[in-house]
Amino acid sequence: ILLGRTNEELSMLKSTYYYIFNKDLTWLMRSELSGDYREVILLALERLQVTYDPEIHTYAKAKADAIKLYDAGEGRWGTDETTFIRILFSSPREHLVLVNDIYKKKYVSDLEEAIRGEFSGYATESLVFYVRLALEPEEVIADHFERMLKGLGTDEKGLSAAVIRYHWMQPQVEQLYEKRFGRSLEERIRTDTDANYGDLLVTLLHIPTDGSDECSVSSNGSVKEPECES
């Protein structure tokens, strides 16, 4: 819900949460969570995303950030979680792609492998999702849908949230989903949900947008939804 959001979306989410529940979302997460996962969520709520600027996000900066990530993780005994996460969350997509390339060439493993080696549990899942959302958005969203649907019971809340958030990416995601998992996303949804609920999800999934067929990933690394026709 939180990772991959724009600063504006996070501000809206925090203010809406306070309006409905009269509670500060950051304070609540600090009190309810613990460990690395709490650090991930609290830093996500700080709205660290910045717009890509080629004069700032140069090859030299990408190399420096790759070294900082290594020094905060694989290159030391004990992970400096705050530094590692802050670098990821403050890196625009174009910059993070270059950082990942440099990191892999310099240290063999890529950022996903580094995360899996330095973090655990929900923190790992969250950070891997964030990095993959920047590097391969269609793939990670297709995998996300499969995760909501597989197993003995469908995660209906997670599935509903994913359909609403990513319905505008349906052409690309469904094409990739069918290639990866052997059947269409629509068929999978209808098979794993009851009739009325499945019909509703498929309708939401196919809501027309502005006609753009391209997945738009904003320069701050978040997946950006195109404006719908009025």
Side-chain angles (χ1 to χ4, degrees), residues 3 40 43-44 48-49 85-91 127 130:
L3 271 65
V40 170
L43 286 171
L48 299 172
Q49 297 94 338
I85 299 167
R86 190 175 289 275
I87 292 172
L88 293 181
F89 286 178
S90 61
S91 295
L127 292 175
Y130 181 84

Side-chain angles (χ1 to χ4, degrees), residues 145 162-164 166-171 174 185-186 189 200-208:
F145 273 111
V163 167
I164 292 170
Y166 302 119
H167 76 271
W168 55 276
M169 292 180 66
Q170 184 270 341
E174 186 157 11
L185 180 57
E186 177 177 340
I189 289 174
L200 175 61
L201 291 181
V202 170
T203 299
L204 291 172
L205 196 68
H206 293 159
I207 290 175

Side-chain angles (χ1 to χ4, degrees), residues 74-92:
E74 294 181 303
R76 58 175 288 157
W77 180 261
T79 307
D80 180 352
E81 294 88 355
T82 300
T83 297
F84 194 102
I85 299 167
R86 190 175 289 275
I87 292 172
L88 293 181
F89 286 178
S90 61
S91 295

Side-chain angles (χ1 to χ4, degrees), residues 51-143:
T51 302
Y52 176 72
D53 184 341
E55 294 186 2
I56 296 174
H57 300 102
T58 61
Y59 182 89
K61 177 170 175 52
K63 183 177 180 180
D65 282 346
I67 294 172
K68 289 178 183 177
L69 284 167
Y70 180 79
D71 290 343
E74 294 181 303
R76 58 175 288 157
W77 180 261
T79 307
D80 180 352
E81 294 88 355
T82 300
T83 297
F84 194 102
I85 299 167
R86 190 175 289 275
I87 292 172
L88 293 181
F89 286 178
S90 61
S91 295
R93 174 184 176 272
E94 297 90 338
H95 183 67
L96 194 59
V97 169
L98 185 54
V99 170
N100 184 66
D101 289 343
I102 293 172
Y103 193 99
K104 187 172 183 178
K105 290 177 182 177
K106 191 173 181 64
Y107 304 114
V108 182
S109 57
D110 58 19
L111 291 180
E112 179 178 344
E113 292 169 320
I115 290 167
R116 293 191 183 280
E118 298 300 316
F119 295 86
S120 61
Y122 290 134
T124 300
E125 293 181 22
S126 300
L127 292 175
V128 167
F129 178 82
Y130 181 84
V131 168
R132 290 189 64 205
L133 195 60
L135 302 181
E136 46 180 13
E138 293 94 345
E139 289 84 349
V140 72
I141 293 169
D143 290 345

Side-chain angles (χ1 to χ4, degrees), residues 165-183:
R165 184 175 179 183
Y166 302 119
H167 76 271
W168 55 276
M169 292 180 66
Q170 184 270 341
Q172 309 94 283
V173 172
E174 186 157 11
Q175 182 179 13
L176 185 60
Y177 184 94
E178 185 168 1
K179 182 178 179 180
R180 290 169 80 94
F181 302 109
R183 54 176 167 169

Side-chain angles (χ1 to χ4, degrees), residues 18-45:
Y18 186 84
Y19 176 78
I20 295 174
F21 300 106
N22 197 31
K23 292 181 180 179
D24 180 78
L25 186 57
T26 300
W27 179 88
L28 182 65
M29 294 297 99
R30 182 177 287 111
S31 63
E32 293 294 324
L33 302 177
S34 61
D36 294 348
Y37 187 49
R38 178 171 64 182
E39 191 71 9
V40 170
I41 297 303
L42 291 180
L43 286 171
L45 288 170

